Amino acid sequence: DAMVIQNPRYQVTQFGKPVTLSCSQTLNHNVMYWYQQKSSQAPKLLFHYYDKDFNNEADTPDNFQSRRPNTSFCFLDIRSPGLGDAAMYLCATSTGLTSTNEKLFFGSGTQLSVL
Amino acid sequence: QKEVEQDPGPLSVPEGAIVSLNCTYSNSAFQYFMWYRQYSRKGPELLMYTYSSGNKEDGRFTAQVDKSSKYISLFIRDSQPSDSATYLCAMTFGAAGNKLTFGGGTRVLVKP
C-alpha cells in the first residue's frame, strides 16, 4: 500500500546532540511537510518542500533544518536539541495540486525524547 | 485569539451515542475544511473533507460547515469504542501549497 513511513518510531537523544529523523513516501506526492506536535496541542508546521523548493515557516527556529534529496525522502535535522524540542514529529505529504493540495497524508510520527 | 478554536475535552459518551464535535474559526477566507482522527501515538488520519458550506456524509460520519457563522461540526453516529481518539479540525484557504491551520483537537472517549 502507498504510504508515508517515518523512522524511527521512537528516538532518544541527549541535550545538544544532533539528531536526524527520516520520512519516506510511496505516494509520489510533490509536497512534503514536517510538523511538530506537543502533547495535547495542534500540529505546528515547521517547513515544507514543494518539489525541491524549501519553504520555512517564519517562527521555525534555526536549530531545525531539512533536506529532501529526492521525491521519496525527506529528513528533519535538529542540530542541537533542547529539552523543549521533545515532541512528536510528523511527516506529511500532499499532491500540491490546487484542487487537492489540502489533503494531507501523515506518517505515524517519530516521538523524540531529549535527556 | 487563536485562528481555530476547539474544545480539548475529554468528551465521554456511552457506546452507541452520537458524538458531536465542533470548531469555530475567525478567518472568513478559509474555504476547505477537514476533520482528522488521531489515535494515541499515531499520525492524524483524514476522515472528512468538505468545501465551503453544507453537509457531507460518509458512513457514520457527517461533517457540517456553516461559513456564515464560521462554525464546523463533525457528528459520529452509533459511536464505538474504536472511535476513541483525538479529533482535529483543520482548514485552509485553498491556494496551491497553502498550509493547514489546525484546531487543538478534542479527545473523545467512547465507553463500552
Side-chain angles (χ1 to χ4, degrees), chain A residues 9-10 33 35 37 40-43 45 48 50 57 88 90 96 98-104 106-109 111, chain B residues 8 32 34 36 38 40-46 49 56 88 92-105:
Chain A
R9 286 296 316 280
Y10 301 93
Y33 307 80
Y35 283 83
Q37 187 179 26
S40 302
Q41 294 184 21
L45 182 63
H48 75 276
Y50 196 114
E57 293 300 300
M88 171 80 86
L90 296 164
T98 305
S99 61
T100 61
N101 71 313
E102 303 82 8
K103 295 181 182 178
L104 265 61
F106 284 87
S108 292
Q111 183 68 49
Chain B
Y32 294 83
M34 285 135 279
Y36 283 84
Q38 186 173 24
S40 180
R41 301 188 187 281
K42 296 278 192 177
E45 170 194 12
L46 181 64
Y49 170 90
K56 183 175 182 179
L88 297 152
T92 184
F93 305 125
N98 196 244
K99 66 178 183 180
L100 290 184
T101 300
F102 282 91

Side-chain angles (χ1 to χ4, degrees), chain B residues 35 47-51 54-65 73-77:
Chain B
W35 286 95
L47 270 182
M48 299 290 285
Y49 170 90
T50 54
Y51 171 68
N55 293 357
K56 183 175 182 179
E57 191 172 315
D58 184 0
R60 297 186 295 112
F61 299 91
T62 299
Q64 289 185 350
V65 174
S73 301
L74 177 70
F75 300 97
I76 308 173
R77 292 184 298 280

Side-chain angles (χ1 to χ4, degrees), chain A residues 1 6 8 13-14 17 24 28 33 39 42 49 58 60 63 81-82 86-87 91-92 100 110-111 113-114:
Chain A
D1 289 340
Q6 290 188 246
T13 190
Q14 292 178 339
K17 184 175 181 181
S24 64
N28 203 32
Y33 307 80
S39 182
Y49 274 94
T60 298
N63 197 26
C91 174
T100 61
T110 294
Q111 183 68 49
S113 299
V114 181

Side-chain angles (χ1 to χ4, degrees), chain A residues 10-115:
Chain A
Y10 301 93
Q11 176 73 57
V12 181
T13 190
Q14 292 178 339
F15 183 93
K17 184 175 181 181
V19 65
T20 295
L21 310 181
S22 71
C23 177
S24 64
Q25 55 130 342
T26 59
L27 297 162
N28 203 32
H29 281 173
N30 294 319
V31 192
M32 295 187 77
Y33 307 80
W34 280 104
Y35 283 83
Q36 179 193 63
Q37 187 179 26
K38 296 188 176 180
S39 182
S40 302
Q41 294 184 21
K44 178 181 181 297
L45 182 63
L46 296 173
F47 25 60
H48 75 276
Y49 274 94
Y50 196 114
D51 289 331
K52 295 181 180 180
D53 293 332
F54 179 69
N55 298 272
N56 198 31
E57 293 300 300
D59 57 354
T60 298
D62 292 340
N63 197 26
F64 292 87
Q65 305 285 319
S66 185
R67 296 169 283 134
R68 189 179 185 185
N70 53 51
T71 301
S72 301
F73 286 88
C74 195
F75 300 97
L76 170 62
D77 300 308
I78 308 176
R79 294 192 297 187
S80 182
L83 297 178
D85 296 328
M88 171 80 86
Y89 288 88
L90 296 164
C91 174
T93 71
S94 70
T95 62
L97 300 175
T98 305
S99 61
T100 61
N101 71 313
E102 303 82 8
K103 295 181 182 178
L104 265 61
F105 297 85
F106 284 87
S108 292
T110 294
Q111 183 68 49
L112 178 69
S113 299
V114 181
L115 304 180

